[in-house]
Amino acid sequence: MNNVVEHFDAIVIGSGHAGSEACLALARLNKKTLLTTLNLDSIAFLACNPSIGGTAKGQLAGEVDALGGEMGVNADKSLLQLRMLNSGKGPAVQSLRAQVDKVVYHNEMKHTLERQKNLDILQCEVAEILVEDGHVVGVKTSMGEVFSCSAVVVATGVYLNSKIIIGNFSKKTGPNGYEPSTKLTKSLINLGFEIRRFKTGTPARVDGKSIDYSKFEIQPGDALNFSFSALNKNAKNVLPCYLGYTSEAMHNLIRQNINKAPLYSGKIHGIGPRYCPSIEDKVMRFADKERHQLFLEPESAGTDEVYVQGISSSMPTQIQRKMYRLIPGFEQVKIMRFAYAIEYDCINATELKPSLESKRINGLFFAGQINGTSGYEEAAAQGIMAGINAARYLSNKPAVVLKRDEAYIGVLIDDLTTKDIVEPYRMMTSRAEYRLTLRQDNCDIRLTELGHKIGLVSAKRYKIFKKKLADIQSVYDQLKTMKNPKQLEKLFKEKNENLTKNGLTLKDVIKRNNITIYDVKTAFNLFNGIANNVLDYVNTEIKYEGYISKENEQIKKNQSMDDIILPELDYSTLAGLRLEARQKLNKFKPATLGQAKRIDGVSPSDISVLLVYLKVKGLI
């Protein structure tokens, strides 16, 4: 190539949550990395709700942290409030959610990137990905500068040909008025990628001084003794959130003006997320509901702007002003930023390997909303895996692919690369078949050792992890103690449990419905110096031991399929496969038999045919 400004090992395009994690992973794995961004002010920008985590998303953020990523660390630095969602339900569906200061979050992540060794940051627009003989060789900016490299991670978020829509008004722009990327889509098309058009939206931001908070229910943070990241302690709740509801008057206004909603007038062409509909869509789809929940969330401790979660919209501004004021407590509310929908380009992620590398172009990786997902946590999860695998590609090491039973990240990437995603993908606990194994409280137990082997987990983080393992073992050792009926009598009477005639180990005592590990701690003065998060983990493991055992049996049963590697095959030549299966298998090119089994349109009989073929060829 001519006129090369500088050579890097890897270049990351985009500085959102995917791009930030990808470039940090690459740089921390000793790869000379360039991060390109349309605007330095948009680094790790929280374009929608000012929060990290949520149902299943908390697990994703926890897994990123366990692998040595930055999202959880940064969430703790900018924390306004921390809550455990679904705390009244079983541990399989409990997830952490942090309300964060969006200004601090951006600043802290920007500082982290600026201080990172092996990482350069450049504000520019990448217009073209340069490829020679099926390999990435560099990028070209819109100003004509060329940077050579051997790996590229595309993490452009919602900025590819992005357009905001408010009523009949539309403008080619990214979130918050940031410039869009207008040239890279053409390059991707020229490289053979299928481009899709997706949509998401955001609610209005209102002036907190104009809200009558007396008509809302306060939502304080939980009194928690743990933080989002394993590296941090003593989370502090700074500001509350508030719960409120829409009104029938607001619904009627929306119904009367539904023809002005871009979603219904045909002005919006992109496909939106099914699980995060606009308020106008909620009103029309759920006509029998008299009201919908909404939450008031502070954008930052340094501003009066309030995010109105649950009321995303693309209605005209004059309608927005009226409908927001029909919310109880919003009678005098002042809108500071109008709600809008945003359309953007993304690729079909089935064109990627489970490593997030392109199937046709070596060294080209994709992460985040470019792959058809929605959410900061989904983006960060893909970002860290794309960064890890780009680094391993550069070092000629095998890719790291997390399985569905190992992490929500594994579920996410497997879904993206094996299923034809036709709408923005959002992670939910229901997508994980092993969610009791993939809990919020055991992210580090599951993944930190792997992160250490990869080289991303710092010495400090690993020391904390090893101490936790030692403390867990100490607790289990103390729970081996036998207690006779007389020693247990007082505790069992207090907890309304039937006393046995024989002695029990303390572990068996905890298995009783009404007794927890904390009851045992108090009754017998045990576990001195052991942190509550360790006790919580052991308590859950014991209480759900039978269910976890059954889940592990199911994992072992299915694991054999994922361990069978599929060679490069032309499935159209395999006799016995149904036509649909041949077409789907040739399209997706699954890496393992387990992945083939999960492709829509591939039946159990097709898997049997593949098994027979592999055995005949001596491949298994």
Side-chain angles (χ1 to χ4, degrees), residues 564-570 573-575 609-620:
I564 298 174
I565 306 299
L566 289 175
E568 284 288 330
L569 294 172
D570 180 0
T573 64
L574 266 64
V609 170
L610 280 176
L611 272 170
V612 171
Y613 173 84
L614 294 171
K615 287 177 182 177
V616 169
K617 294 295 183 180
L619 297 172
I620 57 173

Side-chain angles (χ1 to χ4, degrees), residues 253-409:
L253 178 69
I254 290 170
R255 293 188 191 103
Q256 292 163 11
N257 292 276
I258 197 63
N259 62 310
K260 299 173 184 175
L263 188 65
Y264 287 83
S265 68
K267 191 170 181 63
I268 288 177
H269 302 289
I271 301 170
R274 188 192 326 173
Y275 301 102
C276 190
S278 64
I279 185 60
E280 49 265 34
D281 204 20
K282 286 181 188 177
V283 168
M284 299 307 292
R285 284 167 55 188
F286 307 107
D288 57 329
K289 289 204 71 170
E290 294 181 2
R291 62 181 190 173
H292 292 279
Q293 277 190 343
L294 61 96
F295 293 91
L296 305 184
E297 300 175 345
E299 291 263 292
S300 168
T303 180
D304 288 324
E305 279 190 79
V306 174
Y307 178 91
V308 190
Q309 189 197 147
I311 313 292
S312 66
S313 177
S314 57
M315 288 292 249
T317 56
Q318 62 271 29
I319 302 297
Q320 287 192 39
R321 290 184 192 277
K322 292 178 182 177
M323 74 181 200
Y324 273 85
R325 288 197 168 189
L326 291 173
I327 294 170
F330 271 21
E331 289 83 1
Q332 304 299 321
V333 80
K334 294 181 179 179
I335 293 176
M336 298 178 75
R337 302 182 201 237
F338 285 105
Y340 61 84
I342 184 167
E343 290 185 338
Y344 56 94
D345 292 343
C346 58
I347 68 163
N348 180 352
T350 60
E351 299 184 49
L352 306 179
K353 302 174 185 177
S355 63
L356 297 179
E357 183 185 14
S358 166
K359 291 177 180 177
R360 68 166 67 90
I361 300 170
N362 295 325
L364 181 57
F365 296 79
F366 292 80
Q369 289 186 262
I370 181 75
N371 289 340
T373 61
S374 67
Y376 313 140
E377 302 79 10
E378 288 89 341
Q382 294 170 71
I384 195 169
M385 296 309 298
I388 287 169
N389 286 324
R392 293 178 74 83
Y393 167 82
L394 291 166
S395 298
N396 293 313
K397 293 180 179 179
V400 174
V401 176
L402 295 172
K403 296 178 182 177
R404 296 181 72 90
D405 58 90
E406 292 178 315
Y408 270 89
I409 295 175

Side-chain angles (χ1 to χ4, degrees), residues 426-458:
R426 175 183 176 183
M427 179 52 69
M428 297 174 289
T429 54
S430 60
R431 296 193 190 274
E433 53 271 62
Y434 308 119
R435 55 184 178 270
L436 186 55
T437 301
L438 309 179
R439 303 191 308 273
Q440 180 77 64
D441 70 338
N442 67 3
C443 294
D444 53 349
I445 305 295
R446 292 184 278 116
L447 295 175
T448 298
E449 191 64 55
L450 173 63
H452 178 65
K453 290 178 181 177
I454 291 168
L456 265 188
V457 168
S458 66

Side-chain angles (χ1 to χ4, degrees), residues 171 173-179 340:
K171 181 180 180 181
T173 179
N176 207 46
Y178 292 132
E179 289 296 311
Y340 61 84

Side-chain angles (χ1 to χ4, degrees), residues 83-320:
R83 300 186 71 193
M84 181 67 79
L85 304 185
N86 298 322
S87 57
K89 299 180 181 179
V93 295
Q94 293 176 8
S95 304
L96 266 183
R97 184 179 189 274
Q99 197 69 38
V100 298
D101 188 312
K102 70 188 302 178
V103 176
V104 175
Y105 193 92
H106 156 73
N107 286 336
E108 288 293 337
M109 188 66 85
K110 185 170 183 283
H111 292 161
T112 298
L113 298 182
E114 289 170 346
R115 293 189 295 263
Q116 179 60 50
K117 180 184 175 184
N118 299 321
L119 180 61
D120 287 357
I121 307 171
L122 179 65
Q123 180 171 298
C124 67
E125 179 184 6
V126 171
E128 186 179 357
I129 296 169
L130 306 176
V131 176
E132 293 179 3
D133 299 324
H135 292 75
V136 162
V137 294
V139 303
K140 187 176 183 179
T141 73
S142 58
M143 293 182 283
E145 290 195 317
V146 173
F147 296 89
S148 62
C149 64
S150 299
V152 167
V153 178
V154 182
T156 47
V158 298
Y159 287 85
L160 279 188
N161 284 332
S162 54
K163 178 175 71 172
I164 68 163
I165 303 166
I166 305 173
N168 287 323
F169 171 83
S170 64
K171 181 180 180 181
K172 291 183 178 180
T173 179
N176 207 46
Y178 292 132
E179 289 296 311
S181 174
T182 59
K183 297 178 173 60
L184 190 58
T185 293
K186 182 180 178 182
S187 177
L188 293 174
I189 292 172
N190 291 339
L191 292 173
F193 287 95
E194 176 192 340
I195 300 298
R196 295 176 170 183
R197 193 75 171 162
F198 278 1
K199 174 197 81 76
T200 187
T202 189
R205 276 68 163 175
V206 301
D207 188 340
K209 299 190 301 297
S210 65
I211 297 172
D212 181 357
Y213 285 103
S214 68
K215 295 184 179 180
F216 292 87
E217 179 184 335
I218 193 167
Q219 300 279 290
D222 290 338
L224 302 175
N225 52 22
F226 50 86
S227 298
F228 220 96
S229 171
L231 287 176
N232 298 309
K233 295 181 181 179
N234 302 322
K236 294 181 181 179
N237 293 305
V238 179
L239 292 173
C241 297
Y242 293 85
L243 168 66
Y245 296 91
T246 59
S247 66
E248 186 61 29
M250 179 186 184
H251 295 186
N252 287 334
L253 178 69
I254 290 170
R255 293 188 191 103
Q256 292 163 11
N257 292 276
I258 197 63
N259 62 310
K260 299 173 184 175
L263 188 65
Y264 287 83
S265 68
K267 191 170 181 63
I268 288 177
H269 302 289
I271 301 170
R274 188 192 326 173
Y275 301 102
C276 190
S278 64
I279 185 60
E280 49 265 34
D281 204 20
K282 286 181 188 177
V283 168
M284 299 307 292
R285 284 167 55 188
F286 307 107
D288 57 329
K289 289 204 71 170
E290 294 181 2
R291 62 181 190 173
H292 292 279
Q293 277 190 343
L294 61 96
F295 293 91
L296 305 184
E297 300 175 345
E299 291 263 292
S300 168
T303 180
D304 288 324
E305 279 190 79
V306 174
Y307 178 91
V308 190
Q309 189 197 147
I311 313 292
S312 66
S313 177
S314 57
M315 288 292 249
T317 56
Q318 62 271 29
I319 302 297
Q320 287 192 39

Side-chain angles (χ1 to χ4, degrees), residues 493-556:
K493 187 176 181 179
E494 287 177 353
K495 297 298 177 181
N496 197 28
E497 287 284 352
N498 293 324
L499 192 63
T500 60
K501 294 181 179 180
N502 301 315
L504 293 172
T505 66
L506 291 179
K507 179 182 175 182
D508 288 331
V509 170
I510 293 171
K511 289 182 180 179
R512 294 301 184 100
N513 288 337
N514 299 323
I515 298 176
T516 71
I517 198 167
Y518 292 100
D519 298 322
V520 169
K521 172 185 169 74
T522 301
F524 300 105
N525 191 28
L526 297 173
F527 320 132
N528 294 319
I530 302 294
N532 284 359
N533 66 327
V534 170
L535 298 180
D536 289 338
Y537 169 78
V538 174
N539 190 69
T540 298
E541 287 285 306
I542 292 173
K543 291 285 190 185
Y544 291 86
E545 188 175 56
Y547 295 103
I548 293 171
S549 178
K550 288 180 180 178
E551 200 163 272
N552 285 334
E553 288 175 12
Q554 191 63 44
I555 288 169
K556 287 180 182 177

